[in-house]
Amino acid sequence: MRKIMSIAVAGAVAGASLTLATATQAAADQVPRCVKVRKFFSQGGQRYVRLTNLCAQRPACYTIVIPHQADPQGRLPKGATKDVRYGTTAGPRALYVKNVAC
């Protein structure tokens, strides 16, 4: 009976340490979510997106995802807001803006 209990406890400890290691690795792989979309708009035949960097300590990098086109990438200085032109009104609209590692 003691042997069965020790095996069960060892299995529980190993499972807990594996879960903790996986969660730590997943947290380390995530990119900080600094770039926030404030507005999508068109002006003078061009499409723009207004982006804000919410991180006050570091610059933020982003990718604008557009269907069937190369995705424009960029960088925002810390705490900045910027209107980014990503295409013409004849082309497709952006689907979303993705935070990426710099």
Side-chain angles (χ1 to χ4, degrees):
M1 185 68 170
R2 286 185 183 175
K3 188 174 185 180
I4 293 172
M5 288 297 288
S6 65
I7 291 172
V9 169
V13 169
S17 65
L18 180 63
T19 302
L20 181 61
T22 304
T24 304
Q25 180 65 29
D29 290 342
Q30 287 184 351
V31 176
R33 304 216 184 280
C34 294
V35 175
K36 169 100 175 159
V37 175
R38 294 293 179 196
K39 182 179 180 182
F40 285 99
F41 63 98
S42 298
Q43 182 177 9
Q46 299 292 322
R47 291 196 194 275
Y48 292 88
V49 60
R50 182 168 293 152
L51 301 174
T52 301
N53 183 354
L54 299 178
C55 293
Q57 301 298 320
R58 69 176 129 223
C61 295
Y62 61 88
T63 299
I64 301 172
V65 179
I66 304 170
H68 311 297
Q69 285 188 3
D71 298 333
Q73 298 180 347
R75 185 180 181 112
L76 279 175
K78 55 186 174 181
T81 298
K82 180 175 162 183
D83 291 341
V84 178
R85 187 179 71 203
Y86 67 88
T88 63
T89 53
R93 291 184 184 206
L95 295 177
Y96 60 93
V97 176
K98 177 171 59 171
N99 288 277
V100 295
C102 291

